[in-house]
Amino acid sequence: ALDNNISWDGDDQAGYIYRNSTSGKSTYDLTDYTYSPSIPAYAPNELFATERWDRPSVEANMIWSFPVDNGEDYVVSLYLANGYDGTKFADQREYSIQIEGVTVNEEVDMSEEFGHQVGVMMEYVVSMQDDSLNIEFVRDVENPSINAIEIIRGSEAPSKELATSLTTVAFG
């Protein structure tokens, strides 16, 4: 949304521009979840009720591509939590995150770093050299997972409280 009303779009609709059809989807009860202070006040806890995860039967990594303006800076916020009980301990799920082909976080282990069922937001600034912002989750151990992706034009994001969102995708 471009009017300070954040709109979190789900990617369930067939043919939706941001849908990643190679990923699996899981939903979770948020009763036992806690949330990191890294999450802005405008982001609803419900973002963590659904996650997309990389299917082991698909050889390619989970990749999303978003149309952006070449030459602009963007703030990419990734909302992550480990909700799957089968990976609630350290070293059971590890993956890397690449943005625009650059590894921005290597060996992500949500359970080891933050704990099981803890929602966090990781933020990266990207200077675009083309018109497609690419985010890739590279499988190391088990399957990468993501709860939501938010992309804000850098010049429009001076404050996380009332930031204008160019593109937000929640997996619900």
Side-chain angles (χ1 to χ4, degrees):
L2 298 177
D3 60 358
N4 288 337
N5 291 319
I6 304 299
S7 173
W8 296 93
D9 293 332
D11 70 341
D12 285 338
Q13 308 89 344
Y16 183 61
I17 187 172
Y18 303 118
R19 181 171 170 76
N20 183 317
S21 58
T22 64
S23 65
K25 175 184 166 185
S26 297
T27 56
Y28 299 101
D29 177 359
L30 297 177
T31 304
D32 296 326
Y33 273 64
T34 58
Y35 303 94
S36 163
S38 64
I39 300 169
Y42 64 78
N45 290 346
E46 289 75 22
L47 293 177
F48 298 98
T50 305
E51 74 178 17
R52 288 286 177 189
W53 45 271
D54 196 10
R55 294 177 192 256
S57 61
V58 178
E59 286 189 32
N61 292 317
M62 264 190 326
I63 300 172
W64 274 270
S65 296
F66 299 93
V68 295
D69 292 328
N70 187 7
E72 293 285 334
D73 290 341
Y74 290 87
V75 177
V76 177
S77 300
L78 304 177
Y79 294 82
L80 305 154
N82 186 77
Y84 175 51
D85 284 337
T87 58
K88 66 183 175 183
F89 299 113
D91 302 323
Q92 291 182 314
R93 175 185 287 189
E94 294 177 4
Y95 55 95
S96 298
I97 301 169
Q98 295 181 355
I99 300 178
E100 287 297 290
V102 175
T103 301
V104 295
N105 202 328
E106 193 168 7
E107 295 183 9
V108 174
D109 185 335
M110 295 299 294
S111 293
E112 179 177 43
E113 190 170 347
F114 303 102
H116 181 55
Q117 297 180 329
V118 177
V120 302
M121 189 262 300
M122 296 180 182
E123 187 174 83
Y124 307 95
V125 177
V126 180
S127 297
M128 292 305 301
Q129 303 300 313
D130 60 25
D131 60 0
S132 181
L133 196 157
N134 301 300
I135 303 170
E136 183 170 0
F137 297 85
V138 181
R139 181 186 309 122
D140 293 325
V141 177
E142 239 308 320
N143 304 312
S145 66
I146 180 74
N147 297 85
I149 299 170
E150 176 183 40
I151 300 170
I152 301 173
R153 187 184 322 269
S155 62
E156 297 174 357
S159 165
K160 287 304 252 176
E161 293 193 49
L162 292 176
T164 303
S165 177
L166 173 67
T167 302
T168 53
V169 179
F171 306 111

